[in-house]
Amino acid sequence: MGGREVGGLANQLAAHMDFASEADRDRVQRFWNAANLAQKPGLKAVDLFQAVADGKIKFLWILATNPLASLPDADLIQAALERCPTVILSDCVADTETARYAHFLLPAATWGEKDGTVTNSERRISRQRAFRAPEGEAKPDWWALAQIGQRLGFAGAFAYETSADVFREHAALSAFENEGRRDFDLGGAVGLSNDAYDSLPPFCWPWRAGEAPSLETRFFANGGFFTPDGRARFIPTGPMAPLSQTSPDFPLVLNTGRVRDQWHTMGRTGSTPRLMNHQPRPTVTINPQDAAALGVAEGDLVRLSSATGTAIRLAAIAESQPRGEVFASMHWNGAWCSGGAVGRVIAPNVDPLSGQPELKFTPVSLTRLAPLWHGYALLRDAPDPLAQGDLPGLFWCKRPLGDAWAVDLWALPESDAVPDGAALLAALLGDTADECVPLTLVDPARGRWRGAYLNEGKLVAALILGRGPEMDHLLPFFTEPSLANAQEVLAGRVAAPSAGPMVCACFQVSAARIRAVVASGEATSVEAIGALLKAGTNCGSCISELKGFLRHADASLVA
């Protein structure tokens, strides 16, 4: 909401004023004394990057977003970023897909380091106060923008010293020549002192001059609309089918969206082991009947293909998934896996008015892949981000484990040779590999390679390549920094099996524990599961999954 109000959309002026209105353009131009104010809407996101790819835009400043991971037709986005002569990225995360194509990286203050206001979906404006100082040289975005404005010769127009200065100007524009004719009006905040701004309580706009701020307001409760005659305008719109349609080549519909414990492109949530434990690998969810027809089993590596591109995921089979439709979350991208971003599959078809892409309907085909081997690496530190982007012939994904990082690898090329694990492990470690002592064991007959890197007797990395099972069970060995444990890794000894994915992130309750109490008959309801394990008793976001365990148990009894 707040971004729209300050003119953060390409097709709107600030304070809810519109390019289509000559009066609005004139008003904003006079308020800012901006002789060269744009007279028509700019380009929306998909059109913007097409213009960059065509060479029409040669300077791009990206703030607080990761378009290579979040937009459709990601191959085009990548080509655009590669072609653009100057790309600046302001972000609080250094290792993002987009960051790899930026010429300049500006360290930006993150959420807890920012001071300003936030507007929610009920028009409530709240003060956001920083609870810590920014790290290093990080600065808020308004500061960086003001610095550029000043250095371009507009020092007076960009003389902000605090976020309060920005808010006062924002309020003044909203009230400029308003007189109750426009819905967005912060006239009551014009001239607000620094102290009053610091102690500003939450309020719902509009807050008109001479009125007290209100905690609750309803538009149109007494009739009247913000139109010239005060009457509502109903605009009929006919239904429009998706521009892409299924076909024999692409018979399934790909739907995308969020999963419970991740946010956007995982720049922060992906680094939290408790959140990654829920869905630790990039998956595509398939109905069991569709999976059977395609010869796909749980955990198989599969390729999603569309007319636009391809992506690789691991199969997750669920009765709750509708037939003829598959679901792949939007979060995974090139910083966390190779080739798994759904943006590479989705076509850049957009709604003609809003510019919103067709993210929920992409015709695809799904093919099972037969990897020649599966590899598993455990690293004490995060893998080298540059090496991750250049592991040819492999599909990989990474995740944090608390005391270590895990990297899964699958071989895609048509070759059955035992891979060069030493080179692969050195690439994942980066420069730190030179400081380590490698121990390796090659077993050509079984197609296996095992390796461990030690630094002063401490295990810093382990890698196992072969056709064997998953290797989460090695983590207890890895977290004990002794040479004997490195030898056990090489010998292939195992510890206790993994408890499986975490269903309840709040209390770290695994799927295995939930299945056990349901199967034993101890828990026959969500409330009973909560009483025994605490799962579902805090945030409640896992309750739908708990119900799924109970339904599955009931179906098994009937069968």
Side-chain angles (χ1 to χ4, degrees):
M1 290 287 284
R4 182 187 67 168
E5 291 154 11
V6 298
L9 297 180
N11 61 339
Q12 286 187 355
L13 293 166
H16 287 199
M17 286 183 272
D18 200 308
F19 280 105
S21 168
E22 183 178 354
D24 283 356
R25 298 197 308 270
D26 175 69
R27 184 180 301 110
V28 174
Q29 186 167 352
R30 286 185 288 108
F31 178 85
W32 271 324
N33 191 27
N36 296 318
L37 182 79
Q39 297 297 303
K40 61 182 181 180
L43 297 173
K44 300 182 181 74
V46 173
D47 294 335
L48 169 70
F49 278 93
Q50 183 63 63
V52 175
D54 293 340
K56 298 175 181 177
I57 293 176
K58 303 181 184 299
F59 182 98
L60 194 62
W61 189 352
I62 302 168
L63 294 90
T65 191
N66 189 4
L68 190 50
S70 59
L71 288 178
D73 199 359
D75 291 336
L76 172 70
I77 307 298
Q78 179 176 325
L81 291 171
E82 289 174 337
R83 180 171 185 181
C84 189
T86 305
V87 178
I88 301 173
L89 177 64
S90 296
D91 208 333
C92 60
V93 179
D95 180 25
T96 70
E97 247 187 312
T98 301
R100 298 171 188 174
Y101 298 92
H103 302 96
F104 301 95
L105 295 175
L106 300 184
T110 190
W111 171 77
E113 301 165 348
K114 289 183 178 181
D115 179 87
T117 63
V118 174
T119 309
N120 71 10
S121 57
E122 60 178 358
R123 310 189 321 279
R124 191 180 306 278
I125 296 178
S126 302
R127 278 283 283 119
Q128 176 176 311
R129 301 168 180 88
F131 57 77
R132 56 168 292 164
E135 289 284 335
E137 297 181 277
K139 298 288 187 181
D141 294 326
W142 68 260
W143 181 91
L145 291 163
Q147 289 294 307
I148 294 297
Q150 291 175 22
R151 298 179 194 200
L152 288 173
F154 301 98
F158 291 90
Y160 311 115
E161 295 183 1
T162 66
S163 64
D165 295 332
V166 180
F167 185 78
R168 280 189 286 265
E169 183 174 309
H170 174 45
L173 175 58
S174 74
F176 183 56
E177 298 179 356
N178 191 330
E179 299 174 354
R181 290 191 294 265
R182 303 193 303 276
D183 59 348
F184 185 70
D185 189 345
L186 300 179
V190 173
L192 207 64
S193 69
N194 286 346
D195 289 342
Y197 176 74
D198 286 340
S199 60
L200 186 67
F203 68 93
C204 285
W205 62 260
W207 176 14
R208 305 192 189 282
E211 298 177 358
S214 173
L215 288 176
E216 295 184 18
T217 60
R218 285 187 61 196
F219 272 148
F220 319 128
N222 299 316
F225 294 83
F226 290 103
T227 57
D229 60 4
R231 296 172 66 86
R233 300 287 189 270
F234 288 95
I235 303 174
T237 57
M240 185 176 72
L243 295 178
S244 301
Q245 296 294 322
T246 56
S247 66
D249 291 333
F250 304 113
L252 299 170
V253 172
L254 168 66
N255 183 14
T256 64
R258 305 176 187 277
V259 296
R260 191 189 74 197
D261 290 346
Q262 296 301 329
W263 177 251
H264 286 1
T265 58
M266 304 199 309
R268 285 162 286 185
T269 53
S271 298
T272 306
R274 291 181 66 176
L275 298 179
M276 283 293 279
N277 279 344
H278 180 234
Q279 292 192 13
R281 298 176 179 89
T283 60
V284 55
T285 308
I286 313 165
N287 178 274
Q289 295 181 60
D290 289 333
L294 294 165
V296 172
E298 181 79 20
D300 280 351
L301 205 63
V302 297
R303 176 177 283 117
L304 288 166
S305 301
S306 73
T308 302
T310 63
I312 296 175
R313 292 278 176 127
L314 294 164
I317 299 173
E319 292 279 0
S320 58
Q321 182 64 34
R323 286 198 68 182
E325 180 182 299
V326 296
F327 175 84
S329 72
M330 57 175 274
H331 309 290
W332 289 88
N333 61 85
W336 295 93
C337 68
S338 60
V342 292
R344 299 191 178 276
V345 180
I346 298 170
N349 299 329
V350 298
D351 176 81
L353 181 61
S354 69
Q356 175 67 31
E358 255 178 17
L359 301 174
K360 311 293 286 183
F361 193 101
T362 301
V364 297
S365 62
L366 190 147
T367 308
R368 179 182 179 275
L369 299 176
L372 299 167
W373 50 261
H374 176 203
Y376 184 82
L378 283 170
L379 311 172
R380 193 164 297 280
D381 299 313
D384 187 322
L386 295 178
Q388 293 169 216
D390 187 24
L391 296 177
L394 299 179
F395 174 74
W396 60 263
C397 61
K398 70 177 183 181
R399 65 188 189 277
L401 296 174
D403 294 315
W405 282 76
V407 182
D408 283 280
L409 308 109
W410 291 264
L412 300 178
E414 297 298 326
S415 170
D416 57 2
V418 176
D420 184 355
L424 183 55
L425 192 51
L428 291 172
L429 283 171
D431 294 337
T432 59
D434 297 334
E435 306 167 4
C436 300
V437 176
L439 299 176
T440 61
L441 176 64
V442 181
D443 187 353
R446 296 185 180 181
R448 291 181 178 175
W449 186 98
R450 298 190 183 113
Y453 271 48
L454 298 106
N455 189 346
E456 298 180 354
K458 180 181 179 181
L459 186 63
V460 296
L463 174 65
I464 296 181
L465 306 177
R467 301 182 180 90
E470 306 236 344
M471 289 156 264
D472 282 3
H473 54 262
L474 294 177
L475 183 59
F477 293 145
F478 184 82
T479 54
E480 293 296 329
S482 68
L483 179 60
N485 289 322
Q487 293 169 339
E488 295 201 28
V489 169
L490 293 180
R493 297 175 186 168
V494 300
S498 168
M502 290 294 169
V503 173
C504 175
C506 297
F507 296 107
Q508 292 293 278
V509 184
S510 69
R513 291 178 65 193
I514 296 168
R515 287 194 188 97
V517 298
V518 171
S520 69
E522 296 177 82
T524 57
S525 67
V526 169
E527 292 74 19
I529 295 174
L532 288 167
L533 304 176
K534 292 188 176 181
T537 62
N538 191 33
C539 75
S541 61
C542 64
I543 288 177
S544 61
E545 288 188 69
L546 302 183
K547 292 178 179 178
F549 285 104
L550 295 167
R551 284 195 301 269
H552 182 75
D554 291 341
S556 299
L557 289 174
V558 172

